[in-house]
Amino acid sequence: MEVWKILILFFCAFFGGLSIFLVKSDKSQLLKLILSFSGAYLFAITVLHLIPDAYSGPDHAEIGIYILIGFLLQILLEQFSEGVEHGHIHKHDDTQIFPYGIMISLCLHAFLEGMPLAADQHNALIFGISLHHIPAAFALASILMQNKFKPAGIIFYLAIFAIMAPLGFWVSNGISTGSIGGIEVYFHKMMGIVIGIFLHISTTILFESSVDHKVSKRKMVAVLLGIAIALIGFYTSGHSH
């Protein structure tokens, strides 16, 4: 297992959330650009790498079903997370009420996102996932701060969220190698679920912030840059034929 993946996943999410203590002005536009870039990157990586590899397995005829399951699962998770994985920050009552639904669904989401990283050829994917977790962690920290949580509590829950993607990577790595439970035969099906989640997340990020279906120039640049970097990784990693 590559330790650098775990460190990048953890510290991007953790420090992304900690930045709530440093930001003194509205950085929503910058967060939207980061989201647009990571959304485009995730979408391109999913289409270029994850989907072809998922359909290369022995149970490829059923992969589409699991992709649909993943897509629907993300819709269900967002009923509890309130779109925090998209960087959304919603106002809450000024009382210290722990947002259980948001925390649990966000952690499950991050856990599942870390799973495709078990495949060595998907090293490029870590870049998009890590960037995607920065605004998500920032939004989580903002909600906890609005709910009057002390800094120590915010840091604690950020650490829990930050460890979820590395944990998903570790579990998936064990499954893919057969060292956990002998259920490696289900690896491609699990990847199908993750693909469905990625497709929902990436397309939602790309389209939901477009007023009247118009994309600003800065957002278009961010999207094209995300796709371009994914294509560069595709052609330089030996996946193209």
Side-chain angles (χ1 to χ4, degrees):
M1 182 181 296
E2 296 167 278
V3 178
W4 69 271
K5 290 182 178 180
I6 293 177
L7 294 177
I8 290 178
L9 284 171
F10 178 84
F11 285 111
C12 280
F14 188 63
F15 287 125
L18 288 182
S19 64
I20 190 68
F21 299 114
L22 304 175
V23 175
K24 303 299 181 182
S25 59
D26 184 15
K27 299 293 184 182
S28 59
Q29 294 303 315
L30 177 60
L31 288 176
K32 286 181 179 180
L33 289 177
I34 294 176
L35 277 170
S36 296
F37 172 84
S38 63
Y41 187 85
L42 280 177
F43 180 78
I45 289 295
T46 300
V47 173
L48 295 172
H49 293 287
L50 298 184
I51 292 178
D53 285 356
Y55 277 98
S56 67
D59 47 4
H60 59 85
E62 300 177 351
I63 290 299
I65 296 175
Y66 292 94
I67 292 176
L68 287 174
I69 291 174
F71 195 91
L72 294 174
L73 175 61
Q74 181 56 35
I75 294 178
L76 177 62
L77 288 176
E78 289 187 8
Q79 305 308 305
F80 302 96
S81 68
E82 301 181 15
V84 172
E85 55 269 71
H86 304 156
H88 287 179
I89 303 174
H90 299 280
K91 294 293 183 180
H92 289 74
D93 296 333
D94 293 332
T95 55
Q96 189 173 9
I97 300 175
F98 187 77
Y100 287 101
I102 292 176
M103 188 69 189
I104 293 173
S105 60
L106 196 60
C107 285
L108 179 58
H109 170 84
F111 177 86
L112 292 172
E113 279 195 329
M115 296 188 70
L117 297 172
D120 291 337
Q121 66 267 31
H122 298 316
N123 287 342
L125 184 58
I126 192 174
F127 185 54
I129 294 176
S130 299
L131 269 179
H132 167 57
H133 284 172
I134 291 175
F138 185 88
L140 174 62
S142 298
I143 291 172
L144 293 175
M145 183 173 287
Q146 290 172 10
N147 285 5
K148 305 301 181 180
F149 277 78
K150 296 180 179 179
I154 295 175
I155 293 172
F156 173 74
Y157 291 115
L158 281 175
I160 292 178
F161 167 66
I163 200 64
M164 285 297 109
L167 184 62
F169 166 48
W170 178 79
V171 172
S172 181
N173 184 73
I175 292 173
S176 64
T177 58
S179 61
I180 295 181
I183 57 175
E184 65 275 10
V185 293
Y186 298 103
F187 184 74
H188 284 87
K189 295 178 180 179
M190 296 173 69
M191 287 303 99
I193 293 176
V194 175
I195 288 169
I197 291 175
F198 279 168
L199 287 176
H200 185 283
I201 285 291
S202 60
T203 52
T204 301
I205 289 174
L206 292 177
F207 296 122
E208 69 177 357
S209 60
S210 301
V211 181
D212 296 328
H213 302 285
K214 294 181 179 180
V215 180
S216 67
K217 291 181 180 180
R218 290 197 299 175
K219 180 177 178 179
M220 180 61 71
V221 170
V223 169
L224 292 177
L225 184 60
I227 294 176
I229 293 178
L231 285 170
I232 291 173
F234 177 73
Y235 283 108
T236 58
S237 63
H239 280 72
S240 58
H241 298 283

